[in-house]
Amino acid sequence: MKKGNLKTRHKLSLLFIVITYFTIIMTAFGCDDDEYEVKIEEQSKDIVVKTGDVLIESYIGNGVQWDPYPQAYRYWNKPIQDADWNKMYTRLDYMKPSFIRVVFGSYDKYAISGVDNYEPTAMYEGLGKILQYCQDNDITVMLGDWGYNQVDSNQDMIFESRIDNAVNYLDYLVNTQGFTCIKYYTTINEPNLNGSAANGNYKVWKDATAYFYDKMVDAGLHTKVKLAGPDIAIFNDNDVSWISNTETDLGDKIDLYDIHTYPSKGALFSGEFEALLDAYKSKMPEGKQAVIGEFGFKYETGTSIIDKELSSENLNNINTDPFIGIDSNTLVDQYIHGVDLVGLNMKIINSGFAGAINWNLDDAMHSSSTSGQDLKIWGYWNILGEELLGNPEKETIRPHFYSFSLISRYMQKGSKVYNVEVPELVGLDAIAVEKDGKYMIAINNMSENEYHLNFSLDNGSELSGLKKFIYKEDNRLTDANGFPLPEEQNLSIGKGKEISIQSQTLTVYTNFDF
């Protein structure tokens, strides 16, 4: 499909979503066409940062999932070379993620030589380098285990000796290797799903997690690392009981509530996605923070025209390339993905979640086979593009690095997040962040419309000394590494001053010094 034809299709599909969205709203409010036209004409174009209304007092951070390349080291004989590690470090230095999720299989530590020969140094290099980077850069790590071979969901059994090994390995990382960056731990990845280690069995996840916690106490780890959970992946509201049951059954053994979400694009326009997040967030106990441990797009879950088209395009890409596995989002190569991804991230933030981790950093992390084919294409690059694919171009950064790195870079650990009053304009989202008297105002526009907004803070002040970045399809400014450069500097906004937001762009204003 030629680029021009694809863009036209996306415009028509977005128009359908917009029409559907307006129809839903008109029906909900009992408005006929004339009444709704009046509402649009009278709608405010003011965007107001509510400095007196703090949404999140201390944000943990935005970041990515960065797993330790188990197949590259174990099956492909393609260990990551120092030049490629350094390339990734340089890119992450710009992104400045505050929150990274790392998942491994503790069973790998004994699967090579047998359960009775557990060896913590097996398959360590990749994990060690990732954790060392996080340690050196004060990044909060949520470490997790896939959980396989630790439970039997069919018999409601947990294998205590194997969970003992998992706790021993955490002890090795924290106390022997000294990785104080590990703040949270999850016992089984996405336990509510069929095919996970728990295979949807709440009881075995609960029992394994409770046992893991008790062994942490025995080892004195519980004061250094807190458990997060239930780490479920949500696609509808069928699993809200996992949240309420976790609180009832595990109580303070769970310090951080963590869920994963992969909406369709259409759900971001209809209000369906925010409603789904609220269904789970509202069940979480007050006083405990909640994060999204994985987020990305699953177009095949949507029913809108655009989701069907994007799903078809993605499936076609998968079927025509043996290196692409079925669990992939091949549209990460497209510019528009960088706009959509930030729109998704902003909706997560504005729903009150205190951290968000994008799946994932690198295509080379995972494959559904041992051959090096069937890669999970979701990343910002494939660091083994040259070594594995014979294509060094695959190692270059994709467009969405530009947009997401801005949201990660200027939303550091401990940031205060304010509520933002945003006009009900299609595709428009905004966040406002402050730390140590410095601000980031980010406005994302997923629609084909250009918006002119009057920006102000509720305290009447003006923000000055601002840099302005724009993630746009053509002529976006970058340095030699492909990292974002500001379009303008030393700007001031506030007191109702008009700002223009181009169609399908992310605009970031910030006076942070970096």
Side-chain angles (χ1 to χ4, degrees):
M1 180 65 67
K2 294 182 180 178
K3 180 180 178 184
N5 292 339
L6 179 61
K7 189 170 183 179
T8 300
R9 289 167 57 208
H10 285 191
K11 286 182 179 179
L12 292 172
S13 299
L14 279 171
L15 179 61
F16 174 82
I17 291 173
V18 170
I19 292 171
T20 304
Y21 176 66
F22 285 162
T23 301
I24 292 170
I25 292 177
M26 284 189 290
T27 301
F29 285 90
C31 301
D32 59 29
D33 291 346
D34 292 337
E35 289 174 333
Y36 195 69
E37 287 174 6
V38 171
K39 285 173 72 80
I40 292 176
E41 289 172 2
E42 293 178 350
Q43 183 174 314
S44 167
K45 296 297 175 65
D46 293 335
I47 183 166
V48 182
V49 175
K50 313 290 277 187
T51 59
D53 186 2
V54 177
L55 177 64
I56 302 166
E57 190 66 41
S58 182
Y59 198 69
I60 296 172
N62 292 321
V64 291
Q65 180 146 340
W66 191 14
D67 294 340
Y69 303 93
Q71 289 157 312
Y73 281 94
R74 185 171 181 181
Y75 298 120
W76 307 340
N77 193 28
K78 303 289 184 186
I80 312 301
Q81 300 301 307
D82 286 345
D84 283 332
W85 281 113
N86 290 331
K87 185 185 295 184
M88 290 192 287
Y89 297 156
T90 299
R91 294 169 177 180
L92 289 165
D93 286 347
Y94 183 85
M95 184 186 282
K96 291 187 180 297
S98 296
F99 193 24
I100 280 181
R101 182 174 186 246
V102 184
V103 180
F104 67 100
S106 63
Y107 56 93
D108 280 336
K109 309 305 167 189
Y110 52 75
I112 294 173
S113 54
V115 174
D116 295 331
N117 296 308
Y118 170 74
E119 175 50 63
T121 60
M123 302 281 291
Y124 177 74
E125 180 181 333
L127 180 60
K129 287 184 178 292
I130 290 169
L131 292 177
Q132 191 61 57
Y133 181 85
C134 294
Q135 182 85 0
D136 293 343
N137 291 277
D138 192 29
I139 297 170
T140 296
V141 173
M142 182 162 64
L143 189 67
D145 197 324
W146 300 113
Y148 292 107
N149 295 327
Q150 296 181 20
V151 300
D152 184 334
S153 62
N154 293 322
Q155 300 186 63
D156 287 346
M157 288 179 57
I158 67 172
F159 303 125
E160 294 181 353
S161 63
R162 299 182 183 182
I163 299 175
D164 289 344
N165 280 341
V167 176
N168 291 339
Y169 190 59
L170 179 61
D171 183 72
Y172 170 78
L173 294 173
V174 173
N175 290 322
T176 302
Q177 296 297 331
F179 288 123
T180 58
C181 59
I182 302 171
K183 302 298 185 185
Y184 302 104
Y185 191 94
T186 58
T187 56
I188 298 176
N189 179 68
E190 297 182 345
N192 64 316
L193 297 187
N194 293 334
S196 71
N199 206 36
N201 186 322
Y202 170 79
K203 183 179 184 301
V204 296
W205 171 79
K206 177 201 70 174
D207 291 347
T209 302
Y211 182 82
F212 191 98
Y213 179 84
D214 290 343
K215 301 305 289 187
M216 285 177 64
V217 172
D218 291 345
L221 285 167
H222 66 296
T223 61
K224 299 178 180 180
V225 180
K226 304 298 184 181
L227 288 186
D231 204 52
I232 58 175
I234 64 168
F235 296 94
N236 49 51
D237 61 2
N238 292 346
D239 288 327
V240 292
S241 62
W242 279 72
I243 304 298
S244 52
N245 289 341
T246 294
E247 181 184 12
T248 299
D249 296 334
L250 296 176
D252 286 340
K253 292 179 180 180
I254 300 297
D255 188 75
L256 181 73
Y257 276 74
D258 162 37
I259 60 177
H260 302 177
T261 183
Y262 288 88
S264 67
K265 182 169 179 173
L268 269 63
F269 285 87
S270 65
E272 175 187 344
F273 179 58
E274 291 95 328
L276 179 64
L277 290 180
D278 183 65
Y280 285 85
K281 184 71 166 58
S282 64
K283 298 294 184 181
M284 297 175 184
E286 291 186 13
K288 291 193 177 179
Q289 288 186 306
V291 298
I292 301 294
E294 290 182 21
F295 73 91
F297 283 99
K298 287 275 191 180
Y299 303 114
E300 65 270 22
T301 63
T303 57
S304 69
I305 290 176
I306 192 169
D307 288 318
K308 290 178 180 179
E309 290 183 351
L310 293 174
S311 178
S312 177
E313 183 181 354
N314 186 47
L315 186 60
N316 181 66
N317 292 340
I318 291 169
N319 289 335
T320 55
D321 189 333
F323 284 100
I324 302 177
I326 190 65
D327 183 19
S328 292
N329 178 357
T330 63
L331 306 188
V332 292
D333 284 317
Q334 297 185 12
Y335 157 80
I336 194 62
H337 176 70
V339 178
D340 296 345
L341 187 69
V342 169
L344 172 51
N345 196 176
M346 287 187 178
K347 290 181 185 299
I348 289 169
I349 294 164
N350 286 327
S351 295
F353 289 85
I357 293 171
N358 179 222
W359 171 274
N360 61 33
L361 183 68
D362 191 345
D363 295 350
M365 281 167 27
H366 294 292
S367 167
S368 56
S369 74
T370 59
S371 67
Q373 296 184 327
D374 301 317
L375 296 170
K376 293 178 181 285
I377 308 299
W378 295 83
Y380 294 80
W381 53 73
N382 183 330
I383 207 63
L384 293 178
E386 181 174 8
E387 296 86 350
L388 186 63
L389 308 178
N391 185 354
E393 288 298 311
K394 293 292 186 180
E395 298 187 18
T396 59
I397 59 176
R398 291 181 170 130
H400 66 292
F401 176 89
Y402 190 114
S403 58
F404 186 76
S405 66
L406 290 172
I407 300 301
S408 176
R409 180 179 177 86
Y410 295 114
M411 202 162 182
Q412 287 297 296
K413 183 188 307 182
S415 294
K416 186 174 293 185
V417 182
Y418 295 114
N419 265 315
V420 184
E421 184 179 287
V422 179
E424 292 183 5
L425 298 170
V426 175
L428 187 69
D429 293 282
I431 55 173
V433 173
E434 180 263 323
K435 185 178 183 184
D436 300 328
K438 301 291 186 179
Y439 284 80
M440 176 186 70
I441 309 297
I443 305 170
N444 199 65
N445 181 9
M446 294 175 65
S447 82
E448 287 285 340
N449 305 311
E450 180 171 340
Y451 295 129
H452 301 278
L453 308 170
N454 305 315
F455 178 84
S456 61
L457 290 85
D458 63 352
N459 61 13
S461 64
E462 187 173 65
L463 300 179
S464 60
L466 298 168
K467 303 183 288 283
K468 178 183 179 182
F469 299 87
I470 304 179
Y471 174 67
K472 55 188 178 181
E473 185 164 14
D474 299 315
N475 301 317
R476 57 184 177 271
L477 297 184
T478 62
D479 65 14
N481 291 312
F483 303 160
L485 288 174
E487 298 254 336
E488 299 179 68
Q489 300 193 60
N490 202 30
L491 299 175
S492 297
I493 60 172
K495 298 184 177 180
K497 183 182 294 185
E498 184 178 273
I499 57 176
S500 296
I501 305 299
Q502 300 173 34
S503 66
Q504 296 189 330
T505 60
L506 166 69
T507 301
V508 171
Y509 294 93
T510 183
N511 55 9
F512 282 100
D513 297 328
F514 50 87

Short mmCIF file of all heavy atoms in Angstrom, two decimals, residues 470-513:
data_model
loop_
_atom_site.label_atom_id
_atom_site.label_comp_id
_atom_site.label_asym_id
_atom_site.label_seq_id
_atom_site.Cartn_x
_atom_site.Cartn_y
_atom_site.Cartn_z
N ILE A 470 8.16 19.83 18.88
CA ILE A 470 6.99 19.35 18.15
C ILE A 470 7.35 18.04 17.44
O ILE A 470 8.24 18.01 16.58
CB ILE A 470 6.47 20.36 17.11
CG1 ILE A 470 6.15 21.69 17.76
CG2 ILE A 470 5.22 19.79 16.42
CD1 ILE A 470 5.65 22.75 16.78
N TYR A 471 6.65 16.97 17.82
CA TYR A 471 6.76 15.71 17.08
C TYR A 471 5.76 15.80 15.94
O TYR A 471 4.55 15.78 16.15
CB TYR A 471 6.44 14.53 18.00
CG TYR A 471 6.40 13.20 17.28
CD1 TYR A 471 7.55 12.65 16.72
CD2 TYR A 471 5.20 12.49 17.16
CE1 TYR A 471 7.52 11.42 16.06
CE2 TYR A 471 5.16 11.26 16.51
CZ TYR A 471 6.32 10.74 15.96
OH TYR A 471 6.28 9.53 15.30
N LYS A 472 6.26 15.92 14.72
CA LYS A 472 5.43 16.05 13.54
C LYS A 472 6.00 15.16 12.45
O LYS A 472 7.15 14.72 12.51
CB LYS A 472 5.40 17.52 13.08
CG LYS A 472 6.77 18.13 12.83
CD LYS A 472 6.68 19.62 12.57
CE LYS A 472 8.07 20.22 12.38
NZ LYS A 472 8.03 21.67 12.15
N GLU A 473 5.21 14.92 11.43
CA GLU A 473 5.61 13.93 10.43
C GLU A 473 6.79 14.39 9.60
O GLU A 473 7.70 13.61 9.31
CB GLU A 473 4.43 13.58 9.52
CG GLU A 473 4.76 12.46 8.55
CD GLU A 473 3.53 11.85 7.92
OE1 GLU A 473 2.44 12.46 8.01
OE2 GLU A 473 3.67 10.78 7.32
N ASP A 474 6.79 15.64 9.21
CA ASP A 474 7.84 16.15 8.31
C ASP A 474 8.64 17.25 9.00
O ASP A 474 8.11 18.06 9.76
CB ASP A 474 7.22 16.70 7.02
CG ASP A 474 6.46 15.63 6.24
OD1 ASP A 474 7.00 14.52 6.11
OD2 ASP A 474 5.32 15.91 5.81
N ASN A 475 9.93 17.25 8.73
CA ASN A 475 10.83 18.34 9.15
C ASN A 475 10.91 18.51 10.66
O ASN A 475 11.10 19.63 11.15
CB ASN A 475 10.40 19.67 8.50
CG ASN A 475 10.39 19.59 6.99
OD1 ASN A 475 11.31 19.05 6.38
ND2 ASN A 475 9.33 20.12 6.38
N ARG A 476 10.76 17.42 11.41
CA ARG A 476 10.97 17.55 12.84
C ARG A 476 12.48 17.66 13.10
O ARG A 476 13.29 17.04 12.42
CB ARG A 476 10.35 16.39 13.61
CG ARG A 476 10.79 15.00 13.23
CD ARG A 476 9.98 13.96 14.03
NE ARG A 476 10.33 12.59 13.65
CZ ARG A 476 9.72 11.91 12.68
NH1 ARG A 476 8.74 12.49 11.98
NH2 ARG A 476 10.09 10.67 12.41
N LEU A 477 12.82 18.43 14.11
CA LEU A 477 14.22 18.76 14.34
C LEU A 477 14.88 17.70 15.22
O LEU A 477 14.35 17.33 16.28
CB LEU A 477 14.32 20.12 15.03
CG LEU A 477 13.81 21.32 14.21
CD1 LEU A 477 14.06 22.61 14.97
CD2 LEU A 477 14.45 21.37 12.83
N THR A 478 16.04 17.23 14.77
CA THR A 478 16.81 16.24 15.54
C THR A 478 18.29 16.58 15.46
O THR A 478 18.73 17.30 14.57
CB THR A 478 16.61 14.81 14.99
OG1 THR A 478 17.09 14.77 13.64
CG2 THR A 478 15.15 14.42 15.02
N ASP A 479 19.06 16.01 16.39
CA ASP A 479 20.50 16.14 16.32
C ASP A 479 21.07 14.97 15.51
O ASP A 479 20.32 14.19 14.90
CB ASP A 479 21.11 16.23 17.72
CG ASP A 479 20.93 14.96 18.54
OD1 ASP A 479 20.56 13.90 17.98
OD2 ASP A 479 21.16 15.01 19.76
N ALA A 480 22.39 14.83 15.51
CA ALA A 480 23.03 13.80 14.70
C ALA A 480 22.65 12.39 15.12
O ALA A 480 22.71 11.45 14.32
CB ALA A 480 24.55 13.97 14.77
N ASN A 481 22.23 12.21 16.39
CA ASN A 481 21.80 10.90 16.88
C ASN A 481 20.34 10.60 16.59
O ASN A 481 19.87 9.50 16.87
CB ASN A 481 22.03 10.81 18.39
CG ASN A 481 23.48 10.77 18.77
OD1 ASN A 481 24.26 10.01 18.21
ND2 ASN A 481 23.87 11.61 19.73
N GLY A 482 19.63 11.58 16.07
CA GLY A 482 18.19 11.42 15.88
C GLY A 482 17.38 11.81 17.09
O GLY A 482 16.18 11.56 17.15
N PHE A 483 18.01 12.47 18.07
CA PHE A 483 17.32 12.88 19.29
C PHE A 483 16.63 14.22 19.06
O PHE A 483 17.11 15.07 18.31
CB PHE A 483 18.30 12.99 20.45
CG PHE A 483 19.07 11.74 20.75
CD1 PHE A 483 20.25 11.79 21.47
CD2 PHE A 483 18.60 10.50 20.33
CE1 PHE A 483 20.97 10.63 21.76
CE2 PHE A 483 19.31 9.33 20.60
CZ PHE A 483 20.50 9.40 21.32
N PRO A 484 15.49 14.46 19.75
CA PRO A 484 14.73 15.70 19.55
C PRO A 484 15.51 16.96 19.87
O PRO A 484 16.28 17.02 20.84
CB PRO A 484 13.55 15.54 20.53
CG PRO A 484 13.41 14.07 20.71
CD PRO A 484 14.79 13.52 20.65
N LEU A 485 15.29 17.97 19.05
CA LEU A 485 15.78 19.33 19.29
C LEU A 485 14.59 20.27 19.35
O LEU A 485 13.59 20.06 18.66
CB LEU A 485 16.73 19.78 18.18
CG LEU A 485 18.11 19.12 18.12
CD1 LEU A 485 18.85 19.57 16.86
CD2 LEU A 485 18.92 19.44 19.37
N PRO A 486 14.65 21.33 20.16
CA PRO A 486 13.51 22.25 20.26
C PRO A 486 13.34 23.08 18.99
O PRO A 486 14.31 23.46 18.34
CB PRO A 486 13.88 23.13 21.46
CG PRO A 486 15.36 23.04 21.57
CD PRO A 486 15.74 21.68 21.10
N GLU A 487 12.07 23.33 18.67
CA GLU A 487 11.74 24.20 17.53
C GLU A 487 11.96 25.67 17.89
O GLU A 487 12.36 26.47 17.06
CB GLU A 487 10.28 24.00 17.13
CG GLU A 487 9.94 22.61 16.66
CD GLU A 487 9.73 22.56 15.16
OE1 GLU A 487 9.41 23.60 14.57
OE2 GLU A 487 9.88 21.46 14.58
N GLU A 488 11.65 25.99 19.15
CA GLU A 488 11.80 27.36 19.63
C GLU A 488 12.30 27.31 21.08
O GLU A 488 12.13 26.31 21.77
CB GLU A 488 10.48 28.12 19.57
CG GLU A 488 9.87 28.25 18.18
CD GLU A 488 8.55 28.99 18.22
OE1 GLU A 488 8.56 30.21 18.50
OE2 GLU A 488 7.50 28.33 18.00
N GLN A 489 12.90 28.43 21.52
CA GLN A 489 13.40 28.50 22.89
C GLN A 489 13.07 29.85 23.49
O GLN A 489 12.72 30.79 22.79
CB GLN A 489 14.92 28.26 22.92
CG GLN A 489 15.33 26.89 22.38
CD GLN A 489 16.76 26.53 22.70
OE1 GLN A 489 17.14 26.45 23.87
NE2 GLN A 489 17.56 26.30 21.67
N ASN A 490 13.16 29.89 24.83
CA ASN A 490 12.92 31.12 25.59
C ASN A 490 11.53 31.69 25.35
O ASN A 490 11.34 32.89 25.19
CB ASN A 490 13.98 32.18 25.27
CG ASN A 490 14.09 33.22 26.38
OD1 ASN A 490 13.83 32.92 27.54
ND2 ASN A 490 14.46 34.43 26.01
N LEU A 491 10.55 30.78 25.33
CA LEU A 491 9.15 31.19 25.14
C LEU A 491 8.46 31.39 26.47
O LEU A 491 8.90 30.89 27.51
CB LEU A 491 8.40 30.11 24.35
CG LEU A 491 8.89 29.78 22.93
CD1 LEU A 491 8.09 28.61 22.38
CD2 LEU A 491 8.75 31.00 22.03
N SER A 492 7.33 32.07 26.43
CA SER A 492 6.46 32.22 27.60
C SER A 492 5.04 31.88 27.19
O SER A 492 4.59 32.24 26.09
CB SER A 492 6.49 33.66 28.13
OG SER A 492 7.78 34.00 28.58
N ILE A 493 4.34 31.14 28.05
CA ILE A 493 2.92 30.85 27.81
C ILE A 493 2.17 31.02 29.12
O ILE A 493 2.73 30.90 30.20
CB ILE A 493 2.69 29.44 27.23
CG1 ILE A 493 3.21 28.36 28.19
CG2 ILE A 493 3.32 29.28 25.87
CD1 ILE A 493 2.84 26.95 27.77
N GLY A 494 0.89 31.30 29.01
CA GLY A 494 0.05 31.50 30.19
C GLY A 494 -0.82 32.72 30.04
O GLY A 494 -0.79 33.41 29.01
N LYS A 495 -1.65 32.96 31.04
CA LYS A 495 -2.53 34.12 31.07
C LYS A 495 -3.42 34.21 29.84
O LYS A 495 -3.69 35.28 29.31
CB LYS A 495 -1.72 35.40 31.23
CG LYS A 495 -0.93 35.45 32.54
CD LYS A 495 -0.21 36.76 32.73
CE LYS A 495 0.50 36.80 34.08
NZ LYS A 495 1.22 38.07 34.32
N GLY A 496 -3.85 33.02 29.36
CA GLY A 496 -4.78 32.99 28.23
C GLY A 496 -4.14 33.18 26.88
O GLY A 496 -4.85 33.31 25.87
N LYS A 497 -2.83 33.17 26.81
CA LYS A 497 -2.15 33.32 25.52
C LYS A 497 -2.50 32.15 24.61
O LYS A 497 -2.49 30.99 25.00
CB LYS A 497 -0.64 33.39 25.73
CG LYS A 497 0.16 33.63 24.44
CD LYS A 497 1.66 33.65 24.71
CE LYS A 497 2.04 34.84 25.57
NZ LYS A 497 3.53 34.94 25.75
N GLU A 498 -2.79 32.46 23.33
CA GLU A 498 -3.19 31.41 22.39
C GLU A 498 -1.99 30.57 21.95
O GLU A 498 -0.91 31.10 21.66
CB GLU A 498 -3.86 32.01 21.15
CG GLU A 498 -4.38 30.95 20.19
CD GLU A 498 -5.08 31.54 18.98
OE1 GLU A 498 -6.30 31.80 19.06
OE2 GLU A 498 -4.41 31.73 17.94
N ILE A 499 -2.20 29.26 21.92
CA ILE A 499 -1.20 28.35 21.37
C ILE A 499 -1.88 27.52 20.28
O ILE A 499 -3.08 27.22 20.37
CB ILE A 499 -0.58 27.43 22.44
CG1 ILE A 499 -1.67 26.63 23.17
CG2 ILE A 499 0.23 28.25 23.43
CD1 ILE A 499 -1.11 25.64 24.18
N SER A 500 -1.14 27.16 19.28
CA SER A 500 -1.67 26.37 18.17
C SER A 500 -1.12 24.95 18.26
O SER A 500 0.08 24.75 18.45
CB SER A 500 -1.28 26.98 16.82
OG SER A 500 -1.87 28.26 16.69
N ILE A 501 -2.01 23.99 18.09
CA ILE A 501 -1.64 22.58 18.14
C ILE A 501 -1.97 21.96 16.78
O ILE A 501 -3.13 21.84 16.40
CB ILE A 501 -2.39 21.83 19.26
CG1 ILE A 501 -2.17 22.53 20.61
CG2 ILE A 501 -1.95 20.38 19.31
CD1 ILE A 501 -0.73 22.59 21.06
N GLN A 502 -0.93 21.59 16.06
CA GLN A 502 -1.12 21.05 14.73
C GLN A 502 -1.78 19.67 14.79
O GLN A 502 -1.74 18.98 15.80
CB GLN A 502 0.23 20.93 14.01
CG GLN A 502 0.97 22.25 13.83
CD GLN A 502 2.37 22.05 13.28
OE1 GLN A 502 2.63 21.15 12.49
NE2 GLN A 502 3.30 22.89 13.73
N SER A 503 -2.36 19.26 13.67
CA SER A 503 -3.00 17.95 13.61
C SER A 503 -1.95 16.84 13.72
O SER A 503 -0.83 16.97 13.23
CB SER A 503 -3.77 17.79 12.30
OG SER A 503 -2.88 17.78 11.19
N GLN A 504 -2.33 15.78 14.39
CA GLN A 504 -1.51 14.58 14.56
C GLN A 504 -0.08 14.92 14.97
O GLN A 504 0.89 14.55 14.30
CB GLN A 504 -1.54 13.75 13.27
CG GLN A 504 -2.93 13.22 12.96
CD GLN A 504 -2.97 12.23 11.82
OE1 GLN A 504 -2.15 12.29 10.90
NE2 GLN A 504 -3.92 11.31 11.86
N THR A 505 0.03 15.61 16.09
CA THR A 505 1.34 16.00 16.62
C THR A 505 1.34 15.90 18.14
O THR A 505 0.28 15.87 18.79
CB THR A 505 1.69 17.45 16.26
OG1 THR A 505 0.69 18.34 16.80
CG2 THR A 505 1.82 17.66 14.77
N LEU A 506 2.53 15.88 18.69
CA LEU A 506 2.76 16.09 20.11
C LEU A 506 3.54 17.39 20.25
O LEU A 506 4.58 17.56 19.60
CB LEU A 506 3.57 14.94 20.72
CG LEU A 506 4.15 15.21 22.12
CD1 LEU A 506 3.05 15.30 23.17
CD2 LEU A 506 5.19 14.16 22.50
N THR A 507 3.06 18.28 21.10
CA THR A 507 3.75 19.53 21.40
C THR A 507 4.14 19.54 22.87
O THR A 507 3.31 19.29 23.75
CB THR A 507 2.85 20.74 21.10
OG1 THR A 507 2.47 20.71 19.72
CG2 THR A 507 3.59 22.05 21.38
N VAL A 508 5.40 19.79 23.13
CA VAL A 508 5.91 19.80 24.50
C VAL A 508 6.56 21.14 24.80
O VAL A 508 7.44 21.59 24.05
CB VAL A 508 6.94 18.67 24.71
CG1 VAL A 508 7.64 18.82 26.07
CG2 VAL A 508 6.26 17.31 24.62
N TYR A 509 6.10 21.77 25.87
CA TYR A 509 6.74 22.98 26.40
C TYR A 509 7.41 22.60 27.73
O TYR A 509 6.78 21.97 28.59
CB TYR A 509 5.71 24.06 26.70
CG TYR A 509 4.99 24.63 25.51
CD1 TYR A 509 3.77 24.09 25.09
CD2 TYR A 509 5.50 25.72 24.81
CE1 TYR A 509 3.08 24.63 24.01
CE2 TYR A 509 4.83 26.26 23.73
CZ TYR A 509 3.62 25.71 23.33
OH TYR A 509 2.95 26.24 22.25
N THR A 510 8.65 22.99 27.92
CA THR A 510 9.31 22.69 29.18
C THR A 510 10.40 23.70 29.49
O THR A 510 11.07 24.21 28.58
CB THR A 510 9.92 21.28 29.18
OG1 THR A 510 10.50 21.01 30.46
CG2 THR A 510 10.99 21.12 28.11
N ASN A 511 10.55 23.99 30.79
CA ASN A 511 11.67 24.83 31.22
C ASN A 511 12.64 24.05 32.11
O ASN A 511 13.43 24.65 32.85
CB ASN A 511 11.19 26.11 31.91
CG ASN A 511 10.26 25.85 33.08
OD1 ASN A 511 10.07 24.71 33.51
ND2 ASN A 511 9.65 26.91 33.60
N PHE A 512 12.56 22.71 32.06
CA PHE A 512 13.62 21.93 32.69
C PHE A 512 14.94 22.24 32.02
O PHE A 512 14.99 22.54 30.83
CB PHE A 512 13.32 20.43 32.60
CG PHE A 512 12.29 19.95 33.60
CD1 PHE A 512 10.98 19.75 33.21
CD2 PHE A 512 12.65 19.72 34.91
CE1 PHE A 512 10.02 19.31 34.12
CE2 PHE A 512 11.70 19.29 35.83
CZ PHE A 512 10.39 19.09 35.44
N ASP A 513 16.02 22.16 32.77
CA ASP A 513 17.32 22.61 32.27
C ASP A 513 17.99 21.62 31.34
O ASP A 513 18.97 21.97 30.68
CB ASP A 513 18.27 22.89 33.45
CG ASP A 513 17.76 24.03 34.34
OD1 ASP A 513 17.12 24.95 33.79
OD2 ASP A 513 17.99 23.99 35.56
#
